[in-house]
Amino acid sequence: MTTVQPTTGLPKKAKLQNPPAGFKRMGRASPFIRYGLPMISLTVLGTLGLGYLLQGSKDIAKVKDDQEWEIIETRKALSRTGPVNAYNPKKISLEEELKALQEKVDINNYEYKRIPKPKESA
C-alpha cells in the first residue's frame, strides 16, 4: 500500500551554486585556464586563419602571373612566325636627320616672344 503525503503547493528550493563565484574561484585556482588558454588558442587559430587567407591570395597572384606570361609568350611566338618582311627599318644616318631638321627650322629668322611670369599671369 502506498501512502500519499499532502503537498503544500510550494516547490522545494533547489540548491544552486552561485555561478559568478565559481568562475572567480576557477580563475584564482588556475589562472592559465581562465586567461592563458584563450589567449594562446586565439593566437594559434588567428595565425592559422591568416595563413589560409594569405595562401589563397598567393594562389590568385600566381594564376594571374601565369596568365600574363602566357600572353607574353604568345606575342613572342606571333612576332617570330609573323609575316617575313613585315618590319623593315629605314637605314637613317645622323647627317640625313640633321639636314631634314635644318630644312624644317630656320634658326636665322626668329622673333622675340615674351613669356609671362607666373605672378603676372594671375
Side-chain angles (χ1 to χ4, degrees), residues 26-42:
M26 185 180 71
R28 274 189 241 123
S30 58
F32 175 75
I33 293 175
R34 185 172 181 191
Y35 302 110
L37 191 62
M39 185 66 173
I40 290 173
S41 63
L42 182 68

Side-chain angles (χ1 to χ4, degrees), residues 73-84:
E73 289 299 319
T74 54
R75 285 184 184 167
K76 284 182 183 177
L78 286 175
S79 65
R80 284 188 215 129
T81 61
V84 178

Side-chain angles (χ1 to χ4, degrees), residues 96-107:
E96 291 174 4
E97 283 295 315
L98 180 61
K99 286 179 187 176
L101 187 61
Q102 285 176 345
E103 289 174 1
K104 289 180 184 177
V105 179
D106 186 16
I107 60 172

Side-chain angles (χ1 to χ4, degrees), residues 36-118:
L37 191 62
M39 185 66 173
I40 290 173
S41 63
L42 182 68
T43 305
V44 170
L45 293 176
T47 303
L48 293 174
L50 283 175
Y52 180 75
L53 291 174
L54 287 175
Q55 185 63 39
S57 66
K58 287 180 184 178
D59 291 342
I60 291 170
K62 184 178 179 185
V63 167
K64 285 184 180 179
D65 192 36
D66 290 344
Q67 289 174 349
E68 289 176 6
W69 274 108
E70 287 176 8
I71 291 171
I72 291 171
E73 289 299 319
T74 54
R75 285 184 184 167
K76 284 182 183 177
L78 286 175
S79 65
R80 284 188 215 129
T81 61
V84 178
N85 293 322
Y87 177 67
N88 290 327
K90 296 179 183 176
K91 298 188 178 183
I92 301 173
S93 66
L94 289 177
E95 291 82 17
E96 291 174 4
E97 283 295 315
L98 180 61
K99 286 179 187 176
L101 187 61
Q102 285 176 345
E103 289 174 1
K104 289 180 184 177
V105 179
D106 186 16
I107 60 172
N108 295 325
N109 296 328
Y110 57 90
E111 61 182 75
Y112 289 107
K113 291 185 180 178
R114 185 171 182 266
I115 300 173
K117 295 180 183 176

